């Protein structure tokens, strides 16, 4: 590192109280010696390392126009089986539309994160801080934080690409050729490194942070990473196959050990008593909403912090979830970026534990109030999804598209006896939207739209319980798995399970963690994506019945909209897509870097 710019100094001022930091000269160029001998600059350097962890923004590929102030924070939803992108006219690079239809090829472009530039900065920090003037306790903590960031960076890459080079020192141009052009390590070696790093540093990290340190790594954030990473490795060993001499894939005999590691890390978080399922509101739907709206609640293990300052144009720390995902009215008369599929809606059971799957023939042959259709759903449905008649900003969401007249015809334009034939929402999509994370008080008409202040929950306690349940089940500890799943269901307000299975654990994960960036990676690690993501999906059309219309109650004729993504192409996930391509650009830059199987 030869230069650190003024922005780092400004960031440093928010972490330490040093009145003379901004008086240093020159302000645009600071020597290495000055950086590693100044506590404020050392802190600023580490803050910049945190800043470059862009995958915390729901897997987006960077800051500004490519971060959570813009479209990329929602692409991981679009390429899963959770929803379609309803703004496809904005281009495939922004919405993931092309990649959903088998468009991921050797050129790459989907969910890219090749993190060796931030890793080099982290490596330098790890090397230099031990000889800095920081006190010994602070040195140990800050180096442990940096190692946590490095381990998380390798996890972000290994889940994308499989085995990648493990570079654990700051490379120099004078290094040997084999260090400058490294081969890919095996996928197992990368996961083992992540797990061993966490094992070494967890107790060097604070158990909790407060005030200006909120957003920094803690012992339990590290254990949550260990729980997740080991579970991924176990799944890949159990369900995947070894190729390229282990560069991708993990031997099946290693699955049990990885499950045990995940189980143990999850159990340590559970036994700590530091966290609990958020359960403060009597209304179960409101309670689930508030997990994502109330900062630093008892369920939050680690979060990417946000405030209401514009995170796109002015470089603030807000993000764009409200502006893109909200119902109308919205500043561009759009909103509703993600259109949840009817199939996802059907995953939400009824409160008595019966299946939420609709009898589609029956649904299309009757008239229904919204209470008859959805009223007994899992309360998480009402906190995750909005649809027809969902309360919003003092009114109700209105997707109705057509008016059923007394003579049986359907009128689709203008009005009939003062009743409008269409609602004011996006009628070309699925007629569902994503409510999770939305703040109803946010001004979605404001032109400075990347101003959502909700924190993004990187790790929360419910995921720990789900990880614990999955690992426990695979280890034959079925009672542990059942108890963990039932804790989540009890909090949700639905009937407990009497018995447990792999499918029930996966179902609970799909519902509880919907639109939190997990689903795409889950079906990849279970190796079910070629089936679950290669199929057509559905939406719904609400047609208002004029004859039964009153201000207090409305009935609707329903139509199932098959092939909602379009009739020309069906979503397609290819076998090779279980790993993202290394890409021609990277393999041509390093002759020792082999491409992943299937990409030509």
């Amino acid at each position: 590192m030869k230069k650190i710019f003024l922005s780092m100094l400004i960031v440093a001022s928010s972490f330490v109280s040093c009145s003379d930091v901004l008086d240093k000269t020159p302000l645009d160029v600071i020597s290495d010696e000055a950086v590693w001998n100044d506590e404020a600059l050392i802190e600023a350097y580490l803050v910049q390392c945190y800043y470059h962890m862009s995958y915390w923004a729901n897997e987006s590929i960077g800051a500004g126009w490519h971060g959570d102030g813009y479209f990329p924070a929602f692409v991981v939803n679009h390429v899963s089986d959770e929803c379609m992108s309803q703004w496809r006219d904005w281009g495939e690079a922004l919405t993931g539309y092309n990649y959903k239809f088998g468009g991921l090829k050797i050129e790459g472009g989907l969910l890219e994160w090749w993190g060796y530039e931030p890793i080099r900065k982290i490596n330098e920090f790890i090397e230099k801080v031990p000889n800095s003037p920081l006190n010994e306790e602070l040195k140990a903590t800050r180096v442990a934080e940096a190692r946590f960031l490095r381990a998380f960076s390798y996890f972000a890459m290994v889940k994308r690409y499989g085995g990648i080079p493990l570079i654990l020192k700051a490379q120099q141009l004078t290094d040997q050729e084999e260090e400058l052009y490294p081969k890919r390590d095996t996928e197992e070696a990368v996961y083992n490194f992540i797990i061993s790093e966490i094992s070494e540093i967890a107790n060097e990290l604070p158990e909790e942070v407060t005030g200006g340190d909120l957003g920094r790594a803690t012992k339990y954030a590290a254990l949550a990473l260990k729980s997740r990473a080991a579970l991924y490795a176990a799944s890949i060993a159990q369900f995947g196959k070894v190729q390229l001499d282990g560069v991708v894939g993990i031997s099946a005999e290693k699955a049990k050990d990885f499950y045990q590691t995940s189980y143990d890390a999850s159990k340590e978080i559970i036994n700590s008593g530091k966290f609990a399922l958020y359960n403060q509101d009597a209304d179960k739907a409101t309670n689930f909403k508030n997990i994502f709206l109330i900062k630093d609640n008892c369920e939050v293990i680690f979060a990417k912090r946000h405030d209401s300052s514009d995170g796109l144009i002015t470089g603030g720390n807000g993000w764009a979830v409200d502006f893109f995902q909200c119902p109308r009215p919205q500043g561009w008369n759009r909103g509703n970026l993600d259109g949840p599929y009817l199939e996802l809606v059907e995953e939400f059971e009824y409160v008595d534990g019966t299946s939420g799957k609709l009898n589609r023939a029956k649904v299309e042959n009757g008239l229904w109030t919204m209470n008859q259709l959805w009223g007994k759903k899992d309360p998480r449905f009402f906190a995750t999804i909005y649809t027809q008649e969902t309360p919003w900003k003092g009114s109700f969401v209105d997707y109705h598209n057509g008016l059923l007249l007394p003579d049986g015809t359907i009128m689709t334009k203008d009005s009939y006896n003062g009743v409008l034939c269409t609602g004011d929402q996006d009628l070309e999509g699925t007629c569902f939207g994503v409510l999770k994370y939305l703040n109803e008080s946010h001004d979605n008409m404001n032109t400075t739209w990347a101003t959502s202040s909700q924190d993004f929950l990187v790790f929360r306690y419910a995921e720990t319980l789900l990880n614990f349940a999955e690992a426990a089940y695979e280890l034959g500890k079925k009672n542990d798995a059942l108890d963990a799943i039932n804790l989540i269901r009890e909090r949700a307000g639905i009937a407990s399970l009497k018995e447990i299975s792999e499918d029930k654990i996966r179902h609970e994960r799909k519902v509880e963690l919907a639109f939190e960036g997990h689903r795409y990676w889950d079906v990849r690690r279970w190796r079910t994506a070629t089936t679950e993501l290669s199929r057509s999906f559905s939406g719904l059309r609400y047609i208002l019945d004029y004859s039964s219309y009153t201000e207090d109650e409305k009935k609707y004729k329903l139509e199932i909209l098959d092939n909602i993504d379009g009739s020309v192409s069906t979503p397609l996930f290819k076998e090779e897509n279980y790993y993202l391509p290394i890409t021609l650009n990277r393999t041509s830059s390093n002759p020792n870097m082999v491409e992943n199987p299937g990409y030509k």
Side-chain angles (χ1 to χ4, degrees):
M1 181 191 69
K2 298 300 181 186
K3 297 182 179 180
I4 296 182
F5 294 96
L6 179 59
S7 62
M8 292 184 64
L9 292 171
I10 296 171
V11 173
S13 67
S14 69
F15 276 85
V16 293
S17 177
C18 291
S19 59
D20 64 338
V21 167
L22 295 180
D23 297 329
K24 292 183 180 292
T25 56
L27 286 176
D28 61 339
V29 181
I30 304 173
S31 68
D32 282 0
E33 182 180 3
V35 171
W36 302 115
N37 283 285
D38 187 306
E39 181 174 342
L41 294 180
I42 291 170
E43 294 283 12
Y45 191 105
L46 186 57
V47 169
Q48 285 291 93
C49 292
Y50 274 95
Y51 177 76
H52 285 293
M53 303 298 105
S54 58
Y55 45 77
W56 286 343
N58 206 24
E59 305 295 343
S60 68
I61 57 176
W65 293 101
H66 300 288
D68 55 5
Y70 205 46
F71 282 97
F74 309 103
V75 168
V76 73
N77 304 340
H78 301 161
V79 294
S80 76
D81 57 354
E82 293 179 317
C83 68
M84 64 183 287
S85 166
Q86 296 189 164
W87 294 26
R88 289 172 291 180
D89 53 312
W90 280 68
E92 62 194 39
L94 295 177
T95 65
Y97 176 72
N98 177 59
Y99 301 113
K100 191 161 192 161
F101 297 87
L104 179 57
K105 303 184 185 303
I106 197 169
E107 295 82 7
L110 174 64
L111 299 172
E112 294 281 8
W113 200 78
W114 193 252
Y116 287 104
E117 181 177 351
I119 283 174
R120 187 190 185 284
K121 294 178 182 295
I122 293 168
N123 283 338
E124 186 157 14
F125 185 92
I126 292 168
E127 293 168 8
K128 295 293 181 66
V129 165
N131 296 318
S132 74
L134 300 183
N135 69 62
E136 294 305 312
E137 183 179 355
L138 188 57
K139 282 180 187 179
T141 300
R142 295 299 186 240
V143 169
E145 284 183 69
R147 291 174 70 181
F148 168 80
L149 298 180
R150 183 173 65 180
F152 214 143
S153 296
Y154 276 112
F155 175 63
M157 286 197 288
V158 72
K159 74 178 184 180
R160 285 164 164 78
Y161 306 106
I164 58 304
L166 283 167
I167 299 174
L168 307 180
K169 61 182 288 291
Q171 292 173 301
Q172 307 295 331
L173 291 176
T174 55
D175 287 346
Q176 297 294 316
E177 185 172 318
E178 60 268 22
E179 294 182 23
L180 294 174
Y181 299 98
K183 295 180 179 179
R184 296 173 65 183
D185 285 280
T186 66
E187 187 166 7
E188 181 183 348
V190 179
Y191 275 109
N192 282 334
F193 167 74
I194 294 163
I195 291 165
S196 66
E197 277 287 275
I198 299 305
S199 298
E200 289 182 20
I201 67 171
N203 289 326
E204 298 287 345
L205 291 166
E207 291 199 355
E208 58 186 43
V209 291
T210 58
D213 283 338
L214 286 168
R216 287 187 180 274
T218 65
K219 173 182 178 177
Y220 297 105
L223 289 173
L225 172 59
K226 189 176 183 180
S227 166
R228 187 188 292 179
L231 188 68
Y232 276 46
S235 301
I236 291 162
Q238 183 175 359
F239 303 113
K241 58 184 178 182
V242 177
Q243 300 177 83
L244 300 178
D245 296 323
V247 169
V248 296
I250 299 173
S251 173
E253 65 189 19
K254 303 296 178 65
K256 183 176 180 179
D257 288 342
F258 281 119
Y259 279 126
Q260 188 67 53
T261 298
S262 179
Y263 176 93
D264 291 343
S266 299
K267 192 168 186 179
E268 188 169 354
I269 296 171
I270 293 166
N271 289 346
S272 74
K274 296 282 187 182
F275 308 95
L277 293 174
Y278 181 83
N279 205 13
Q280 300 299 310
D281 300 287
D283 181 84
K284 291 296 188 180
T286 299
N287 187 75
F288 196 72
K289 286 180 186 178
N290 282 339
I291 297 168
F292 308 95
L293 300 179
I294 296 177
K295 290 178 180 285
D296 309 317
N297 67 69
C298 62
E299 189 155 337
V300 178
I301 297 175
F302 187 64
K304 181 183 179 189
R305 308 281 292 180
H306 291 108
D307 58 31
S308 58
S309 58
D310 184 6
L312 183 66
I313 305 299
T314 65
N317 199 32
W319 64 309
V321 62
D322 290 296
F323 189 83
F324 283 122
Q325 298 285 43
C326 70
R328 295 171 183 167
Q330 189 256 15
W332 295 347
N333 197 33
R334 297 203 73 161
N336 203 169
L337 172 61
D338 292 2
Y341 292 125
L342 179 58
E343 286 76 11
L344 177 69
V345 168
E346 291 177 311
E347 289 288 325
F348 289 87
E349 300 165 49
Y350 296 102
V351 291
D352 63 0
T354 55
S355 170
K357 191 170 180 62
L358 298 174
N359 180 330
R360 296 192 175 194
K362 180 180 179 181
V363 161
E364 289 191 294
N365 286 316
L367 296 175
W368 305 86
T369 67
M370 291 301 95
N371 187 58
Q372 289 172 327
L373 194 61
W374 312 122
K376 295 182 180 180
K377 277 279 196 184
D378 177 343
R380 289 174 294 186
F381 167 76
F382 302 103
T384 304
I385 305 289
Y386 61 82
T387 189
Q388 183 68 16
E389 296 188 15
T390 297
W392 182 253
K393 291 184 179 288
S395 185
F396 297 92
V397 173
D398 190 356
Y399 280 111
H400 89 269
N401 186 10
L403 194 62
L404 180 62
L405 302 183
D407 64 2
T409 61
I410 296 174
M411 185 174 174
T412 58
K413 292 183 179 180
D414 303 319
S415 64
Y416 180 81
N417 289 344
V419 179
L420 292 173
C421 292
T422 58
D424 59 354
Q425 298 300 312
D426 183 350
L427 306 180
E428 302 299 319
T430 65
C431 289
F432 298 102
V434 177
L435 191 60
K436 184 178 280 188
Y437 274 112
L438 293 193
N439 178 359
E440 202 165 345
S441 67
H442 188 268
D443 180 6
N444 297 313
M445 304 302 290
N446 197 317
T447 55
T448 54
W449 38 266
T451 54
S452 294
S453 61
Q454 303 87 291
D455 293 347
F456 183 82
L457 306 190
V458 179
F459 294 119
R460 65 182 178 97
Y461 188 62
E463 185 209 342
T464 297
L465 290 175
L466 288 163
N467 293 352
F468 179 78
E470 186 174 339
Y473 181 83
E474 299 297 348
L475 291 168
K477 302 175 187 290
K478 293 186 178 181
N479 288 338
D480 282 356
L482 180 62
D483 289 346
I485 293 299
N486 278 337
L487 283 173
I488 292 171
R489 292 173 69 88
E490 180 182 358
R491 188 270 295 277
I494 59 173
S496 296
L497 298 177
K498 303 299 183 184
E499 56 186 23
I500 198 68
S501 68
E502 183 180 82
D503 285 344
K504 289 178 179 178
I505 292 169
R506 292 181 179 184
H507 159 81
E508 204 65 40
R509 192 175 179 94
K510 185 175 184 179
V511 170
E512 175 73 21
L513 301 178
F515 304 106
E516 295 180 48
H518 291 275
R519 180 63 181 171
Y520 176 76
W521 306 108
D522 281 345
V523 294
R524 287 171 89 246
R525 67 183 175 88
W526 295 327
R527 297 304 192 251
T528 61
T530 48
T531 300
E532 300 201 53
L533 304 189
S534 298
R535 52 177 295 200
S536 59
F537 297 96
S538 311
L540 202 59
R541 180 187 179 191
Y542 295 99
I543 302 167
L544 180 61
D545 177 49
Y546 177 82
S547 297
S548 59
Y549 174 85
T550 70
E551 287 297 327
D552 296 326
E553 184 175 84
K554 302 174 181 64
K555 290 187 177 181
Y556 301 88
K557 175 180 172 59
L558 303 176
E559 290 184 2
I560 308 296
L561 305 176
D562 294 321
N563 301 315
I564 193 69
D565 289 289
S567 58
V568 176
S569 300
T570 300
L572 175 64
F573 187 99
K574 301 176 182 177
E575 183 73 24
E576 60 263 30
N577 298 154
Y578 283 122
Y579 296 97
L580 303 186
I582 300 298
T583 73
L584 286 169
N585 181 53
R586 294 177 187 130
T587 56
S588 63
S589 299
N590 179 355
N592 296 318
M593 188 80 67
V594 297
E595 182 56 85
N596 277 329
Y599 292 103
K600 298 178 181 179

